[in-house]
Amino acid sequence: MSSYAIYRLPYEDHCTLLVQDDGQPEVLQSYAALNGKSGFVIAPFSISPATPLLLLHPEQTKTLLIDDIRHFDMSSMPFYPCKQPLLRTQYSIDYSRFHSELLANHYEKLVLSRCLPLPNDGTYQPLELFIRACQRYPRLFISLVSTEQGGTWLTATPEILLDGKNGQWRTIALAGTMKLEGKNLEGEGENATWSTKNIQEQRYVATYLAEQLKPFASDLHEEGPRTVRAANLIHLRSDFIFTLIHNTRVGDLLQTLHPTPAVCGLPKEAAAEFIMQNESVPRLYYSGFMGPLNIDMETHLYVTLRCMHICPHEYRLYAGGGILKESTEQQEWLETEAKMETMARLLDIKSGKAVKR
């Protein structure tokens, strides 16, 4: 059975279709194993037998206008069952567990995620949802991937993990979230006033990235932070632009960077372990990363945010939020609702109405 990936880079008017007809994508045992590799990466939050790190080696590559993708028949692509969603009452239990660890000074930051199920009655096929995402979210990286091992995922994300072209490399620190409403939807969030909590959260991520890049990068400089828009949300973003000292060590750099504090917490290793042991719903490929690696001498890897797992009878939407000591449960819940609206709007559903259970 074929595996495929379709992606559209921000602000581009075309997409790229990659198809592997024979065999399954390559399974790798670590992010560092991506050293010297090329293909389309489908990486989970944490590698496990249930969520392997996959590298699709395309046998067909096509560059297409967005509307032309409608003509491809992907109906035979696999769909796989999902885990149980995290409802409001369970989120409250998880939040209390996470927040108590912060109050006890065991962590500086933790990211708590949740999953929202929405009915899949067959109205929208995956390719139609991909096209809708491209049309509605020109600022975001849009991807649709389907493999036997990992299932089918649609992503619309603003967060670059690693981007490289013509010897110039970039990663970003993206954190802090506010929702745009009313007249503010007409702009880019340029008049936003950020809270201390959001500023602190973004600075954690930026400081982490600067330290992790030092062994790998030369000519490193930081730009920002600045306010950027992603769908109806705005975030604080700092860009780190650099030259790789060893171009063959991209996998080593990914091993060091992922997961960043934006999707995990601090200290990173301890936070990741705590999340995997204490979140009620497994993240699977949410908050991992996807994108082309060293295809035509370019790399565009994005963190898998604002995503949905497409299942036979449900769409599973994922979102998370960074929790600090100063956080409150209701604010964090509302932030996840706002993030889920990016995907829910593709289904003509408001996520806030769907989650009141």
Side-chain angles (χ1 to χ4, degrees):
M1 181 174 287
S2 299
S3 299
Y4 73 87
I6 313 169
Y7 68 91
R8 199 267 346 248
L9 295 175
Y11 296 107
E12 291 196 342
D13 62 357
H14 61 275
C15 61
T16 301
L17 169 66
L18 307 172
V19 180
Q20 183 173 337
D21 291 314
D22 297 323
Q24 301 299 329
E26 183 179 3
V27 175
L28 302 175
Q29 301 305 312
S30 72
Y31 306 110
L34 291 166
N35 280 340
K37 298 279 189 176
S38 65
F40 191 95
V41 179
I42 306 167
F45 174 71
S46 179
I47 298 171
S48 72
T51 54
L53 170 60
L54 303 174
L55 184 63
L56 188 150
H57 297 287
E59 295 158 330
Q60 299 181 49
T61 301
K62 297 181 182 292
T63 300
L64 303 160
L65 294 176
I66 303 300
D67 280 345
D68 290 343
I69 204 71
R70 299 177 193 271
H71 303 305
F72 284 85
D73 179 14
M74 301 297 184
S75 58
S76 63
M77 290 298 114
F79 299 97
Y80 292 91
C82 310
K83 302 294 183 181
Q84 289 300 310
L86 181 61
L87 303 182
R88 183 68 178 92
T89 52
Q90 187 60 51
Y91 178 87
S92 181
I93 294 170
D94 281 9
Y95 179 89
S96 296
R97 185 185 303 122
F98 277 53
H99 197 232
S100 65
E101 293 291 316
L102 294 163
L103 294 177
N105 295 316
H106 295 159
Y107 304 93
E108 297 175 72
K109 173 186 175 179
L110 288 170
V111 176
L112 174 60
S113 68
R114 52 179 278 246
C115 174
L116 167 68
L118 296 174
N120 178 1
D121 62 2
T123 300
Y124 300 111
Q125 295 301 310
L127 286 178
E128 180 61 32
L129 293 173
F130 173 82
I131 294 169
R132 281 184 157 219
C134 290
Q135 293 170 339
R136 296 188 183 188
Y137 305 129
R139 302 171 180 84
L140 306 184
F141 173 80
I142 312 297
S143 64
L144 174 66
V145 302
S146 190
T147 67
E148 184 175 349
Q149 301 102 313
T152 303
W153 292 77
L154 177 68
T155 299
T157 177
E159 185 170 352
I160 297 169
L161 180 63
L162 190 61
D163 193 88
K165 182 179 180 180
N166 299 325
Q168 189 79 71
W169 292 84
R170 179 190 307 266
T171 187
I172 68 171
L174 191 78
T177 301
M178 285 200 295
K179 185 177 180 180
L180 291 177
E181 297 180 297
K183 292 184 178 180
N184 289 328
L185 288 168
E186 299 173 3
E188 298 294 318
E190 59 272 13
N191 297 320
T193 301
W194 290 96
S195 68
T196 301
K197 184 260 185 184
N198 278 306
I199 293 170
Q200 183 181 8
E201 185 181 349
Q202 197 272 344
R203 182 40 45 187
Y204 278 147
V205 181
T207 301
Y208 166 85
L209 289 178
E211 288 299 315
Q212 300 305 311
L213 286 169
K214 285 180 180 178
F216 297 91
S218 62
D219 304 321
L220 173 64
H221 67 277
E222 178 181 353
E223 298 177 353
R226 58 191 172 92
T227 299
V228 294
R229 181 171 175 176
N232 291 344
L233 303 176
I234 54 173
H235 307 283
L236 282 169
R237 168 174 167 168
S238 296
D239 288 49
F240 294 86
I241 302 166
F242 57 94
T243 301
L244 271 180
I245 297 173
H246 301 290
N247 283 324
T248 58
R249 293 183 60 195
V250 171
D252 291 339
L253 178 54
L254 292 168
Q255 183 84 30
T256 299
L257 293 179
H258 175 73
T260 73
V263 297
C264 178
L266 286 169
K268 184 178 87 166
E269 287 76 13
E273 186 67 24
F274 180 84
I275 287 168
M276 288 185 289
Q277 291 180 357
N278 290 279
E279 275 189 341
S280 293
V281 178
R283 294 190 179 191
L284 306 180
Y285 288 89
Y286 164 68
S287 68
F289 58 93
M290 295 186 184
L293 171 68
N294 196 28
I295 294 181
D296 296 329
M297 305 299 291
E298 294 186 18
T299 293
H300 305 285
L301 300 176
Y302 282 74
V303 182
T304 310
L305 304 178
R306 318 292 191 271
C307 65
M308 69 166 70
H309 189 184
I310 302 175
C311 304
H313 303 293
E314 284 187 333
Y315 303 102
R316 299 281 176 115
L317 279 56
Y318 288 80
I323 301 175
L324 305 180
K325 286 182 182 179
E326 300 81 7
S327 300
T328 66
E329 180 185 331
Q330 183 63 12
Q331 287 176 334
E332 295 301 326
W333 174 262
L334 292 175
E335 181 177 316
T336 61
E337 284 196 340
K339 290 175 176 177
M340 285 179 171
E341 284 184 7
T342 301
M343 286 285 119
R345 284 196 174 99
L346 300 178
L347 306 168
D348 298 321
I349 297 172
K350 290 187 176 180
S351 63
K353 292 182 178 179
V355 298
K356 292 179 180 177
R357 295 187 169 193

